[in-house]
Amino acid sequence: MIKKKISSLTLAISITIIVGFILSALSSVFLFQDLFKKDIEAVSELTSENIFVNINNLMDRPINVSIAMANDTFLRNFIKKENSYGFGDHELESMQEYLRTYKNKYNFDTVFFISTKSGAYYHYENGKDRFMAKDNPENTWYFDFLKGDRDCSLNVDNDEAKSNIITIFVNCKLYNRSHEVVGVVGVGVETPYIQSFLTENEEEYGVSAYLIDTDGKIQLSSNLTGLENVNLFEKKILANMKKEITAGRDVANHKWYNTKEADGYIITRYVPNLNWYLVVLKDIKEFKERMFSQLAVSLIFLILVVLAVVNITTGIV
């Protein structure tokens, strides 16, 4: 009879400890998760806003200057002197000086002009750098741009005129008075600075940031450019988000995602100056795994405590 009462008392004490621990643990977990989610959202939004503002500010001047050059009456009249083989020596020096002036004034990494008449590529430093040939894959962007409807566009490419440094080019069409395209003028900003800026934000806030086009192709990230031809929508976690990411251009999109491969928070927003989308990902899968590991350790500790309490209680009784 006494043994039965002892067993009942021990069981009651054990159940009380276990239930108390579980309720306390669940309350702490739910409270912590709520605070953690709010912190993740705040950090991700801050990072997204910081990158968005800085990228916009960085590209504002190259875009505006390229548009101004494309509407420059002097340039429109000057290229009339060109023949089918390009400018002569005197005119070539003038063209080179014109491009160099913009380069030095605004501290761009490169400034160029391409004539549709001769196909010559004029560079601020190299003069007549080369001719644009259709059978050269390096020139595909140029002929695609001429066929397209946009008057200005951006592309990430290697700068053949400057040791193939990866550069963001701003390209604008130059029209004559008959509204015929007579050239493409633009400037280039080298990517290492932008990539280092993205890297700093990723390391400081523990996120991944990407600039993608409407098809999902990564144009720029901390370690990728458009040359690698990597598509962000090929990742399983984003495969079903393509419409959501590219649909809204007026406001930022926020979403929590949870798959077998990843678990986290995503913010996407349209960058008008680039006609690209900024995607900021915060993966919390690793953190959750650590949290559950800690809970498992706590559970083992609880079992040891319960066993100790049972032994002590049984001995005292």
Side-chain angles (χ1 to χ4, degrees):
M1 186 68 180
I2 294 177
K3 288 183 177 180
K4 187 175 181 181
K5 287 184 178 180
I6 292 175
S7 298
S8 299
L9 179 61
T10 302
L11 180 62
I13 293 174
S14 300
I15 291 174
T16 302
I17 294 174
I18 292 171
V19 171
F21 174 82
I22 291 175
L23 290 176
S24 176
L26 288 176
S27 175
S28 299
V29 167
F30 288 138
L31 177 62
F32 181 75
Q33 277 191 333
D34 186 54
L35 293 174
F36 179 68
K37 278 191 172 184
K38 289 181 180 178
D39 182 61
I40 290 296
E41 291 173 359
V43 169
S44 300
E45 289 169 12
L46 175 65
T47 308
S48 175
E49 182 68 22
N50 185 40
I51 295 174
F52 177 82
V53 170
N54 279 278
I55 292 293
N56 256 335
N57 291 342
L58 179 67
M59 296 307 299
D60 260 345
R61 178 176 288 181
I63 291 171
N64 291 333
V65 170
S66 296
I67 292 174
M69 293 173 68
N71 289 277
D72 192 335
T73 304
F74 167 78
L75 181 61
R76 185 184 295 121
N77 293 329
F78 183 76
I79 61 174
K80 293 177 182 178
K81 300 177 182 180
E82 187 193 39
N83 56 45
S84 57
Y85 299 100
F87 288 116
D89 292 340
H90 179 70
E91 289 79 10
L92 180 59
E93 288 181 8
S94 298
M95 170 59 75
Q96 197 170 346
E97 181 61 29
Y98 172 83
L99 298 175
R100 189 184 297 114
T101 299
Y102 275 96
K103 194 272 179 190
N104 294 335
K105 182 176 182 179
Y106 297 104
N107 198 30
F108 295 134
D109 294 306
T110 191
V111 183
F112 68 92
F113 172 75
I114 306 172
S115 168
T116 56
K117 182 177 181 179
S118 65
Y121 184 105
Y122 298 102
H123 185 257
Y124 79 92
E125 186 175 30
N126 303 339
K128 190 189 299 180
D129 186 75
R130 61 186 182 276
F131 288 92
M132 307 298 283
K134 285 187 176 182
D135 57 356
N136 185 349
E138 296 282 355
N139 301 331
T140 301
W141 70 269
Y142 168 69
F143 295 102
D144 287 345
F145 178 52
L146 289 180
K147 290 186 292 185
D149 297 328
R150 297 179 63 87
D151 288 337
C152 289
S153 74
L154 280 78
N155 72 297
V156 179
D157 205 346
N158 57 308
D159 190 349
E160 292 185 74
K162 287 190 69 179
S163 304
N164 289 319
I165 298 174
I166 307 302
T167 305
I168 298 179
F169 290 97
V170 182
N171 315 300
C172 291
K173 293 176 182 175
L174 177 71
Y175 292 91
N176 60 18
R177 297 188 184 278
S178 302
H179 204 68
E180 298 170 328
V181 180
V182 292
V184 174
V185 65
V187 306
V189 179
E190 294 174 5
T191 60
Y193 168 74
I194 302 176
Q195 287 184 303
S196 64
F197 170 73
L198 293 176
T199 300
E200 288 174 7
N201 278 267
E202 289 183 345
E203 292 177 350
E204 183 173 357
Y205 299 107
V207 301
S208 298
Y210 305 92
L211 287 164
I212 65 173
D213 61 20
T214 53
D215 296 320
K217 181 181 176 182
I218 297 176
Q219 296 294 332
L220 204 62
S221 72
S222 58
N223 60 347
L224 293 171
T225 67
L227 296 183
E228 287 84 2
N229 201 27
V230 177
N231 195 303
L232 197 62
F233 295 139
E234 291 178 357
K235 291 189 175 185
K236 291 184 179 180
I237 61 172
L238 297 176
N240 298 323
M241 297 186 194
K242 181 176 181 179
K243 289 184 178 180
E244 295 179 54
I245 291 175
T246 58
R249 292 195 171 191
D250 298 327
V251 294
N253 294 316
H254 310 251
K255 185 175 181 179
W256 283 95
Y257 58 88
N258 190 320
T259 66
K260 291 181 180 180
E261 292 78 19
D263 188 0
Y265 186 64
I266 180 173
I267 296 180
T268 62
R269 61 193 305 170
Y270 178 65
V271 187
N273 278 352
L274 306 180
N275 193 34
W276 293 343
Y277 291 87
L278 171 63
V279 178
V280 175
L281 293 167
K282 176 68 175 179
D283 193 352
I284 63 171
K285 186 176 182 180
E286 184 179 344
F287 172 80
K288 277 192 170 183
E289 288 174 351
R290 290 202 305 267
M291 185 177 67
F292 286 124
S293 296
Q294 186 61 43
L295 282 174
V297 172
S298 299
L299 182 59
I300 294 172
F301 178 74
L302 170 66
I303 293 172
L304 294 175
V305 170
V306 170
L307 290 175
V309 170
V310 169
N311 289 329
I312 293 171
T313 304
T314 302
I316 293 174
V317 174

